[in-house]
Amino acid sequence: MDDDGSRTLDFKEFLKGLHEYGVNMDKEEALKIFSLIDKDGGGTIDFDEFLQALRPPMSSARKQVIAEAFRKLDRTGDGVVTIEDLQSVYNASHHPKFKTGQWTQEQVFRAFLDSFDSPYEKDGKVTLEEFTNYYSGVSASIDSDGYFLEMMRNAWKL
């Protein structure tokens, strides 16, 4: 669908792609869908936005275990995970780049947070929505609820 090789889809490419894949709808309806997928409002759909739109919904059990893991990280209980929250639950001294002196503890914490943070706004703070979105991507590749729940419980020691 990415005709110009920009690694994003503009509305024209999106509309053409819908037509080529046999999805027939009027231009106004396609624009509404395009706007919903274009989360950052930039006028294009990037790969992350495209994948997020295609992910299947998660079961309530998966959402609950993700929320439980988030609460474990959110030591202050304010709904946002920051470096300060991580300092009591994540030991940066075991990170390979800290061991070699390439990174400080703060850089280790920041890289850890960035992996969960929104790809559109890396602000060093992770909300439950961003954390859930990250695990929604992981969830999409795991068919079994039981396996996903076990993976989360083991990873976060829940």
Side-chain angles (χ1 to χ4, degrees):
M1 290 173 65
D2 180 18
D3 294 333
D4 65 5
S6 65
R7 303 185 53 81
T8 62
L9 300 177
D10 61 22
F11 182 65
K12 182 179 174 185
E13 290 170 318
F14 180 74
L15 197 59
K16 181 180 174 208
L18 289 176
H19 178 73
E20 287 175 353
Y21 285 97
V23 179
N24 297 314
M25 62 179 65
D26 62 46
K27 193 173 183 177
E28 291 78 27
E29 189 176 11
L31 184 56
K32 285 179 188 176
I33 293 170
F34 182 87
S35 296
L36 286 172
I37 297 172
D38 179 19
K39 297 284 186 199
D40 66 358
T44 60
I45 298 172
D46 66 30
F47 192 65
D48 287 329
E49 290 170 323
F50 189 75
L51 286 181
Q52 286 175 15
L54 296 178
R55 288 183 189 147
M58 287 190 294
S59 69
S60 62
R62 291 182 189 216
K63 290 177 185 175
Q64 286 173 357
V65 77
I66 291 167
E68 189 178 344
F70 182 83
R71 284 191 301 274
K72 183 174 182 176
L73 282 177
D74 182 16
R75 304 303 281 181
T76 58
D78 64 357
V80 179
V81 176
T82 62
I83 287 174
E84 292 74 28
D85 290 308
L86 288 181
Q87 288 173 335
S88 62
V89 294
Y90 183 71
N91 188 346
S93 66
H94 297 298
H95 192 282
K97 289 192 176 183
F98 180 80
K99 285 181 173 183
T100 62
Q102 291 176 281
W103 284 0
T104 65
Q105 278 192 332
E106 181 150 338
Q107 287 172 310
V108 171
F109 289 136
R110 184 61 191 254
F112 182 82
L113 286 175
D114 282 353
S115 65
F116 300 104
D117 209 351
S118 165
Y120 313 111
E121 184 183 346
K122 300 268 187 211
D123 59 3
K125 299 174 185 174
V126 177
T127 64
L128 176 58
E129 181 182 357
E130 290 168 332
F131 194 73
T132 301
N133 185 48
Y134 172 85
Y135 275 108
S136 176
V138 174
S139 175
S141 66
I142 300 174
D143 292 334
S144 163
D145 270 359
Y147 183 79
F148 182 83
L149 298 175
E150 182 179 345
M151 180 271 306
M152 287 294 293
R153 287 185 182 120
N154 288 335
W156 293 102
K157 296 178 176 53
L158 302 175

